[in-house]
Amino acid sequence: MTKDERYKVSWSSLQRHEQCRSKQHLISQGLATQGKDVRNFLAGNILDGIQKDWLDNPSGNMVDMVDEYMEKAIAKSTEKDTITWRNKNDKSNIRKFCKTTAQSLQPILEARVLPYDYEPGKWFHVPVKIKNPKTGQVEEIILRGELDLLVREKDDEYVVWDLKATANNDYWKTSLGQLVFYDLVVLSMFGKSPKKCGFIQPACDEQ
């Protein structure tokens, strides 16, 4: 297998594979789209953008960025996709949710991120060797994607944080595999597992 033929695996592709293997196969072959209605991802896209840009220049209040970033996210989303509002108040409800969440997110970042070295929106393209279950041969695959936030604490201890824009206190239970995936990514990048991989859920009850 040449470098260009190596399997490329992201967390989202693994999720789709578990949910519907046929759909993921079609997507990987360029024969199907990933979906056109992006309404359910809108709040996450808004808050991801705010977090990344605020951490690049941590001044001012994140809540004040919501209006601008919401309009940008809507414009970008509707260039190729669509947003189907659930009702006449849906847009204003998302705006309110993003403002409340941004207000709760900022002190978390100030306490857990700003005191250390960090990289928001850390893209990765990491080779990993695994055994092919069909042939028994060791092959190289590529883990690829983006870490919401990579933090380097003292003594080069790494921490991965993933922002979840949800008010569902149990949502994390459906995404634990994502943390395992990121643990493997950091291990492959730096030769040691992260000190911690976790979710930031500002709209949820503290757990």
Side-chain angles (χ1 to χ4, degrees), residues 56-73:
D56 282 338
N57 182 25
S59 61
N61 295 316
M62 296 177 72
V63 65
D64 295 333
M65 302 168 68
V66 170
D67 289 336
E68 175 187 355
Y69 278 71
M70 183 167 183
E71 295 310 313
K72 285 182 178 179

